[in-house]
Amino acid sequence: MSEQEYVPFFANVQLSPTAEGDDRPPLPTTGSEREILTAFLDWHRATFELKCRGVAAARLSDRAIPPSGLSLHGLVRHLAGIERWWIRQHFAGEDLPMLNYSDEDPDQGFDRLDGDVEAAFAAWRVERNRARTIVAEAPSLDATCRSPVTGKEISLRYILVNLIAEYARHNGHADLLRERIDGATGL
């Protein structure tokens, strides 16, 4: 087979599905590194929100896949904390308390589902929006910070890739949770 005849399996895959209610913008296939990384991160953020859309508030706390304790409510609490941890606390150096985490109870974001679900989504949106602003204002993806945990220098590029991976992993969890809750798939 010549190189010209080879067609990769993903050649005809649409990068941004257009299912009913899917308001995610299409992913760019060209652009600067910052444009590509931030677009993919925003796409994954929007994917998570889409997977939760239409679920009754009471069902968002369902731990639908035993023995796992994961729930959509717990995931949104965790993702709010992750946004704060990586962008605001690490990269921007903001002196803020951890969200839904302590050394004594590191899984509280997933385990403690007290509180209003809408408040959890509001907190996540605040963290997401603040993270977007910080990233947009950074001089370059080469800008660095020092990890308070490891002491290693890390770049904004590394943080963005890490966040994309975090969202991709949890979007897979959200897929399974949503399907178990109401049968919705392919969001």
Side-chain angles (χ1 to χ4, degrees):
M1 174 184 302
S2 76
E3 194 173 308
Q4 295 168 341
E5 293 173 338
Y6 175 72
V7 178
F9 75 93
F10 54 82
N12 295 315
V13 173
Q14 191 172 5
L15 291 178
S16 182
T18 56
E20 188 174 333
D22 185 350
D23 53 1
R24 295 172 295 179
L27 287 166
T29 56
T30 61
S32 71
E33 185 179 17
R34 184 189 300 241
E35 290 168 333
I36 297 293
L37 289 175
T38 57
F40 269 77
L41 179 54
D42 277 339
W43 189 86
H44 277 289
R45 288 167 170 154
T47 297
F48 179 74
E49 196 161 22
L50 182 63
K51 289 176 186 308
C52 296
R53 190 179 299 157
V55 177
R59 300 292 315 266
L60 288 167
S61 296
D62 285 3
R63 293 179 170 140
I65 308 173
S68 170
L70 289 180
S71 68
L72 294 171
H73 184 183
L75 285 174
V76 75
R77 288 168 47 101
H78 172 71
L79 292 170
I82 290 298
E83 294 268 3
R84 177 178 280 198
W85 170 251
W86 280 107
I87 301 294
R88 296 182 74 183
Q89 291 175 299
H90 269 55
F91 184 74
E94 294 181 11
D95 186 17
L96 299 166
M98 299 289 285
L99 283 180
N100 311 306
Y101 176 91
S102 71
D103 289 339
E104 299 76 36
D105 189 6
D107 292 326
Q108 67 182 262
F110 293 117
D111 296 341
R112 291 191 197 168
L113 299 179
D114 53 341
D116 180 31
V117 173
E118 288 305 318
F121 275 92
W124 171 69
R125 288 182 189 106
V126 164
E127 296 302 324
R128 176 198 66 193
N129 293 342
R130 178 70 180 123
R132 283 179 179 148
T133 300
I134 291 168
V135 170
E137 292 174 351
S140 80
L141 297 180
D142 293 325
T144 63
C145 63
R146 192 152 306 279
S147 169
V149 176
T150 66
K152 292 182 180 179
E153 190 173 33
I154 52 178
S155 69
L156 179 56
R157 176 182 298 103
Y158 173 88
I159 291 170
L160 291 175
V161 170
N162 191 305
L163 284 171
I164 291 166
E166 184 84 16
Y167 271 92
R169 176 175 43 257
H170 292 313
N171 281 338
H173 298 140
D175 257 344
L176 295 171
L177 290 163
R178 179 65 189 263
E179 183 176 8
R180 184 75 171 155
I181 289 169
D182 66 6
T185 59
L187 302 174

